Amino acid sequence: AFYFKEDHEQPIINGTIIIKTGSLYEPADRVGLGSLAMRMLKAVGTKTLAPDALEEKLDFLGSTVGSFAGLEFSEVSLWTLRKNFDETWKVLLDILYNPAFDKERFDTEKKKDLESIRRRFDYPTSLGFALFSELIYGKDFPEARRTTNAGIHAITLDDIKAFYESNILDKESFLALTGDFKQAQAMAIS
């Protein structure tokens, strides 16, 4: 499906590809796999752009591309100036369809998850939400599950690739665009 809204007030375009996948699709012994897989899309570069070259290209374009995994859906999004939309769109598609899955970057992203686990209860609000979900749903309910050191250590690069193949690539998705573009331009990319 494709949704768009023209807004010519500022010369920017926001776009989001919403993918019907998320943490509901990850095995219970590998909680965090979906989030890690989505972050890896941008962090590892692509088959045509090394990670640093990808960041430099986006910086040169003045564009931002990000990714996120939720419970039932995930997204890859962009923010760019109108004049750089076509090139930024190509970069986003390259990230989504040609990830490099670099081992060194994978290890770095896992370390970030482990640090996040270590610091997760530094804020009382985070603690409250986590424990509230556990009390309401039970520990094993997908909405209440939390990442653990053991679960993150268990995730391999092959797990990431398998999750990508079965839960990101060619899954049902929706495209939403807002900003300074014409309908014909939007229809050409959908």
Side-chain angles (χ1 to χ4, degrees):
F2 177 54
Y3 304 94
F4 64 92
K5 170 127 178 51
E6 291 183 39
D7 180 356
H8 303 287
E9 195 169 314
Q10 296 178 347
I12 59 173
I13 298 174
N14 285 298
T16 302
I17 298 174
I18 300 168
I19 306 165
K20 194 175 179 179
T21 191
S23 59
L24 281 176
Y25 297 88
E26 62 194 15
D29 65 338
R30 287 179 171 61
V31 174
L33 175 61
S35 176
L36 186 55
M38 289 303 294
R39 285 196 334 270
M40 289 281 295
L41 290 178
K42 183 174 178 235
V44 298
T46 71
K47 293 174 184 168
T48 59
L49 287 170
D52 292 336
L54 174 64
E55 289 299 329
E56 286 175 19
K57 184 166 191 159
L58 289 170
D59 286 346
F60 177 77
L61 293 169
S63 301
T64 302
V65 172
S67 57
F68 163 81
L71 183 65
E72 299 174 16
F73 71 92
S74 298
E75 64 182 52
V76 180
S77 59
L78 68 81
W79 179 97
T80 187
L81 297 170
R82 175 188 62 227
K83 68 181 182 177
N84 297 331
F85 174 75
D86 291 338
E87 193 60 31
T88 304
W89 180 250
K90 288 177 190 172
V91 171
L92 181 139
L93 292 179
D94 196 27
I95 289 168
L96 189 57
Y97 292 112
N98 299 304
F101 294 120
D102 176 74
K103 174 75 168 119
E104 185 179 320
R105 293 289 177 131
F106 168 69
D107 291 338
T108 300
E109 291 300 314
K110 278 180 68 168
K111 286 176 186 172
K112 289 178 185 178
D113 277 351
L114 293 169
E115 179 62 15
S116 177
I117 290 168
R118 189 180 78 75
R119 310 236 1 159
R120 87 168 90 206
F121 296 133
D122 286 357
Y123 300 98
T125 305
S126 300
L127 175 61
F129 279 123
L131 295 178
F132 181 76
S133 293
E134 276 186 17
L135 287 171
I136 297 298
Y137 300 112
K139 282 184 175 182
D140 296 326
F141 189 74
E143 188 140 347
R145 295 187 310 192
R146 291 190 302 228
T147 54
T148 63
N149 286 339
I152 295 300
H153 282 300
I155 297 171
T156 66
L157 191 54
D158 286 337
D159 292 331
I160 297 290
K161 291 175 184 176
F163 189 88
Y164 171 79
E165 290 289 330
S166 63
N167 293 295
I168 298 172
L169 190 64
D170 298 326
K171 275 294 229 184
E172 183 179 1
S173 62
F174 307 88
L175 172 61
L177 283 179
T178 62
D180 192 15
F181 57 85
K182 299 286 186 197
Q183 180 177 354
Q185 180 186 18
M187 298 305 287
I189 67 163
S190 64

